[in-house]
Amino acid sequence: MELNIYHMYPEVLNLYGDMGNILCIKRRCEWRGIKASIKNFSVNSKTHDLKDGDIFFIGGGSDRGQNIVCSHFTKYTEEFKEIIEDQGVVLAICGGYQFLGEKYVDSDGKEVPGLGIFNYSTLNGEGRLIGNIIIENQIGITPKTIVGFENHGGRTYSDYKPLGLVKAGYGNNEHDMKEGIVYKNCIGTYLHGPLLPKNPHLADYLILKALEKKYGIKNLKELDDTLEYSAHEKVVEMYSK
Ligand code: GLN
């Protein structure tokens, strides 16, 4: 068995250790005897074909980076939309999450167009939303908590099902207590950190979705995550209100 992991624009979108998410998926596959190949999808690559990707990861970036990526990615919008509709697995973080929507209005009031795959928008607000965040996941994985770190000026307003409900921190915006979005096997979220090593249950959720789509697999071999979950629990203990 083999999974192809596409790392989208690693040279531009890689804030706060987002790269760790890719390594986490790769290692958790390899520990189970599943081959995981990482492919960098970059502005400088000559040719691209996204169809053989099983998991797509888009990290966060600066407003400048978001602009570069967005204008480059536009020509792949239809292909990527089809991949999402066809249950392709996508994890998009912060700037990556914002740019799957219709637009991001930056701190100077300048509009950065999004891919428009989803109909939410992000507007810069006063002050940045920074700090540790705990959410209660809405995708049915155990433990219920997902922990991370957020740092964004944009506030996203969306009617999609959220990835989680905010227990500590801000999430999509500081008002509606929702964090991220879930649509089929696509997850958008503000949680950096990196997210997956802190939340092995979410990493396995994505791996299993990809294996299910490709090979019809319904269960993953258990790993010893004692250390990972004790770190997770510690964060929950420290930051829960
Ligand atoms: N530029 C976006 C914001 O500040 C995203 C930043 C990020 O990816 N951390 O809202």
Side-chain angles (χ1 to χ4, degrees):
M1 280 189 291
E2 176 172 11
L3 291 180
N4 291 325
I5 306 162
Y6 268 88
H7 191 179
M8 310 302 284
Y9 305 102
E11 76 284 28
V12 189
L13 302 178
N14 181 25
L15 284 180
Y16 316 120
D18 278 343
M19 171 75 188
N21 293 311
I22 297 276
L23 297 177
C24 177
I25 294 175
K26 186 172 163 62
R27 291 282 180 277
R28 295 185 74 80
C29 283
E30 287 169 352
W31 288 334
R32 295 174 165 114
I34 302 161
K35 191 168 173 225
S37 310
I38 299 171
K39 300 188 174 196
N40 289 337
F41 186 99
S42 133
V43 179
N44 301 318
S45 308
K46 288 280 175 281
T47 51
H48 286 304
D49 181 12
L50 293 172
K51 283 280 162 17
D52 65 340
D54 301 303
I55 299 180
F56 296 84
F57 175 72
I58 315 173
S62 63
D63 291 1
R64 194 183 137 270
Q66 233 165 293
N67 254 304
I68 298 171
V69 165
C70 204
S71 49
H72 185 265
F73 203 56
T74 317
K75 52 183 175 291
Y76 301 96
T77 306
E78 278 316 306
E79 195 178 345
F80 203 56
K81 206 169 168 175
E82 275 169 34
I83 287 169
I84 292 174
E85 285 300 336
D86 193 28
Q87 311 285 352
V89 176
V90 179
L91 176 64
I93 299 201
C94 202
Y97 163 38
Q98 292 173 354
F99 104 98
L100 292 182
E102 282 176 350
K103 64 176 177 189
Y104 166 58
V105 180
D106 73 13
S107 48
D108 299 324
K110 195 174 146 270
E111 194 174 309
V112 182
L115 296 178
I117 290 177
F118 300 117
N119 69 1
Y120 55 76
S121 291
T122 303
L123 310 176
N124 214 275
E126 214 185 300
R128 295 186 68 78
L129 307 179
I130 305 176
N132 287 292
I133 171 165
I134 301 172
I135 63 175
E136 192 174 285
N137 83 73
Q138 302 296 295
I139 52 173
I141 53 173
T142 308
K144 266 191 128 10
T145 45
I146 293 179
V147 302
F149 170 79
E150 60 183 327
N151 183 353
H152 50 111
R155 275 74 167 169
T156 302
Y157 296 91
S158 119
D159 294 326
Y160 288 89
K161 177 180 167 178
L163 170 64
L165 301 179
V166 177
K167 296 291 151 196
Y170 302 103
N172 284 344
N173 51 68
E174 58 273 70
H175 304 297
D176 64 20
M177 309 302 280
K178 293 191 217 165
E179 206 301 306
I181 63 135
V182 179
Y183 176 78
K184 296 193 175 182
N185 291 336
C186 175
I187 289 179
T189 177
Y190 275 108
L191 274 63
H192 287 281
L195 171 66
L196 298 181
K198 291 181 178 179
N199 300 281
H201 53 327
L202 183 58
D204 284 356
Y205 173 87
L206 298 171
I207 293 170
L208 187 56
K209 289 285 182 194
L211 289 173
E212 195 177 349
K213 176 170 157 37
K214 196 166 187 180
Y215 299 107
I217 300 239
K218 301 266 181 231
N219 296 298
L220 278 181
K221 197 175 127 203
E222 292 280 317
L223 297 175
D224 179 4
D225 289 319
T226 314
L227 203 59
E228 286 82 350
Y229 283 121
S230 74
H232 181 106
E233 278 312 309
K234 190 75 197 164
V235 174
V236 173
E237 225 177 270
M238 280 167 72
Y239 297 104
S240 289
K241 285 175 193 153

Coordinates of all heavy atoms in Angstrom, one line a residue, residues 15-16 60-63 66 94-95 98 104 128 151-154 192, ligand 1:
L15 N 4.3 28.1 7.9 CA 4.5 28.8 9.1 C 4.4 27.9 10.4 O 3.7 26.9 10.3 CB 3.4 29.9 9.2 CG 3.5 31.1 8.4 CD1 2.3 32.0 8.6 CD2 4.8 31.9 8.6
Y16 N 5.1 28.4 11.4 CA 5.0 27.7 12.7 C 5.1 26.2 12.7 O 4.3 25.5 13.3 CB 3.6 28.1 13.4 CG 3.3 29.6 13.3 CD1 2.2 30.0 12.6 CD2 4.2 30.5 13.8 CE1 1.9 31.3 12.5 CE2 3.9 31.9 13.6 CZ 2.8 32.3 13.0 OH 2.5 33.6 12.8
G60 N 0.1 27.4 6.3 CA -0.2 28.8 6.4 C 0.9 29.7 5.9 O 2.0 29.2 5.7
G61 N 0.6 30.9 5.5 CA 1.6 31.8 5.0 C 1.3 33.3 5.3 O 0.2 33.6 5.8
S62 N 2.2 34.1 5.0 CA 2.0 35.5 5.2 C 1.0 36.0 4.1 O 0.7 35.3 3.1 CB 3.3 36.3 5.0 OG 3.8 36.0 3.6
D63 N 0.5 37.3 4.2 CA -0.4 37.8 3.2 C 0.3 37.8 1.9 O -0.3 37.5 0.8 CB -0.8 39.2 3.6 CG -1.7 39.3 4.8 OD1 -1.9 38.2 5.4 OD2 -2.1 40.4 5.3
Q66 N 0.3 34.3 0.4 CA -1.0 34.0 0.0 C -1.3 34.5 -1.4 O -1.9 33.8 -2.2 CB -2.0 34.6 1.0 CG -3.0 33.6 1.6 CD -3.7 34.1 2.8 OE1 -3.0 34.4 3.8 NE2 -5.0 34.3 2.7
C94 N -4.8 27.8 8.1 CA -4.7 29.2 8.2 C -4.8 29.9 6.8 O -5.8 29.9 6.2 CB -3.5 29.6 9.0 SG -3.6 31.3 9.7
G95 N -3.6 30.4 6.3 CA -3.7 31.1 5.0 C -4.2 30.1 3.9 O -4.9 30.5 3.0
Q98 N -7.9 29.9 4.3 CA -8.5 31.2 3.8 C -8.6 31.2 2.3 O -9.6 31.6 1.7 CB -7.7 32.4 4.3 CG -7.7 32.6 5.8 CD -6.8 33.7 6.2 OE1 -6.0 34.2 5.5 NE2 -6.8 34.1 7.5
Y104 N -9.9 37.0 0.7 CA -9.3 37.4 2.0 C -9.0 38.9 1.9 O -8.3 39.3 1.0 CB -8.0 36.6 2.3 CG -7.1 37.2 3.4 CD1 -7.7 37.4 4.7 CD2 -5.8 37.6 3.1 CE1 -6.9 37.9 5.7 CE2 -5.0 38.1 4.1 CZ -5.6 38.3 5.4 OH -4.8 38.8 6.4
R128 N -4.6 40.8 16.2 CA -4.5 39.4 15.7 C -5.0 38.4 16.8 O -5.0 38.7 18.0 CB -3.0 39.1 15.4 CG -2.5 39.9 14.3 CD -1.1 39.5 13.9 NE -1.0 38.2 13.2 CZ -1.3 37.9 12.0 NH1 -1.8 38.9 11.2 NH2 -1.3 36.7 11.5
N151 N -2.6 32.0 15.0 CA -2.1 33.3 14.9 C -2.5 33.9 13.6 O -2.0 33.6 12.5 CB -0.5 33.3 14.9 CG 0.1 34.7 14.8 OD1 -0.6 35.7 14.6 ND2 1.4 34.8 15.0
H152 N -3.6 34.6 13.6 CA -4.2 35.1 12.3 C -4.9 36.5 12.6 O -5.5 36.7 13.7 CB -5.2 34.1 11.7 CG -6.2 33.6 12.7 ND1 -7.6 33.9 12.5 CD2 -6.2 32.8 13.7 CE1 -8.3 33.3 13.5 NE2 -7.4 32.6 14.2
G153 N -4.8 37.3 11.5 CA -5.6 38.6 11.6 C -6.9 38.4 10.9 O -7.9 39.2 11.2
G154 N -7.0 37.5 10.0 CA -8.3 37.3 9.3 C -9.3 36.6 10.2 O -9.0 35.7 11.0
H192 N -2.3 25.8 13.8 CA -0.9 25.5 13.4 C -0.3 24.6 14.5 O -1.0 24.0 15.3 CB -0.1 26.8 13.5 CG -0.4 27.8 12.4 ND1 0.1 27.6 11.1 CD2 -1.1 28.9 12.3 CE1 -0.2 28.6 10.3 NE2 -1.0 29.4 11.0
Ligands
GLN1 N1 -2.4 36.1 6.4 C1 -3.4 35.4 7.2 C2 -3.9 36.1 8.5 O1 -3.1 36.7 9.2 C3 -2.9 34.0 7.5 C4 -1.8 33.9 8.4 C5 -1.3 32.5 8.7 O2 -1.4 31.7 7.8 N2 -0.9 32.3 9.9 O3 -5.0 36.1 8.7

